[in-house]
Amino acid sequence: MKLCLLHSKPILLTLLPRQVFTVCLVYEINKGKASPWHPYFLHLPRSYSILAAFGELETQALQVDYAIWAAQKAVTKAKYEWEQAFTRMKELKLKPPLLTFKAWIWATGTVQIIARDKILQTSGNICYLCKHFLVI
């Protein structure tokens, strides 16, 4: 019997659907070659040009005050969401490189691309996809 690990811990009830899906994605990547999704993961981009991934240099290059503020806010929001999910990711015994903020940004970018492509339109779909990513 396959059970979604997400439903076994109430801590995930406090996470947003995109955070839950991001945790699912990182968990599945943690499986490495044992994951049926491994060939797909090999073809994903290594980085994304999203505001949350901007460093200080890229942020200052925006030059417009509002754009700089938006980039800084995106980083702050991403760190907050990562900190919220960090405890759960640690409980899942993920490899240390997958617990980093940099890994979280990459996974968040991947989830944003999936959402942009309208694969995820409702939180119900996220649960459905998580069942495929995160099973025991």
Side-chain angles (χ1 to χ4, degrees):
M1 180 176 169
K2 293 182 177 181
L3 296 173
C4 185
L5 288 175
L6 298 177
H7 299 293
S8 66
K9 298 287 184 179
I11 190 169
L12 284 175
L13 296 175
T14 63
L15 298 180
L16 298 171
R18 71 174 172 270
Q19 289 173 288
V20 172
F21 189 66
T22 303
V23 171
C24 289
L25 177 64
V26 174
Y27 181 80
E28 191 66 22
I29 289 168
N30 189 64
K31 293 179 183 178
K33 291 181 181 178
S35 168
W37 295 92
H38 182 71
Y40 171 75
F41 295 148
L42 293 176
H43 294 284
L44 291 172
R46 298 286 179 224
S47 63
Y48 296 98
S49 296
I50 58 174
L51 285 177
F54 278 27
E56 189 61 34
L57 184 63
E58 293 94 346
T59 300
Q60 293 307 316
L62 294 171
Q63 297 179 2
V64 178
D65 288 342
Y66 181 74
I68 292 169
W69 174 83
Q72 291 169 339
K73 183 172 172 90
V75 171
T76 301
K77 181 180 174 190
K79 282 186 180 175
Y80 175 73
E81 290 181 357
W82 169 64
E83 288 168 353
Q84 282 183 311
F86 186 81
T87 302
R88 181 61 174 139
M89 292 190 305
K90 208 169 177 183
E91 287 175 1
L92 292 170
K93 296 180 174 50
L94 300 179
K95 296 171 187 156
L98 295 175
L99 292 171
T100 65
F101 180 62
K102 184 176 179 180
W104 180 260
I105 291 296
W106 176 84
T108 300
T110 301
V111 168
Q112 286 179 5
I113 295 301
I114 291 170
R116 183 195 70 201
D117 292 342
K118 299 184 187 206
I119 293 172
L120 304 176
Q121 293 181 356
T122 67
S123 59
N125 286 343
I126 291 174
C127 242
Y128 171 77
L129 288 170
C130 284
K131 287 179 185 176
H132 293 293
F133 273 115
L134 192 54
V135 293
I136 56 172

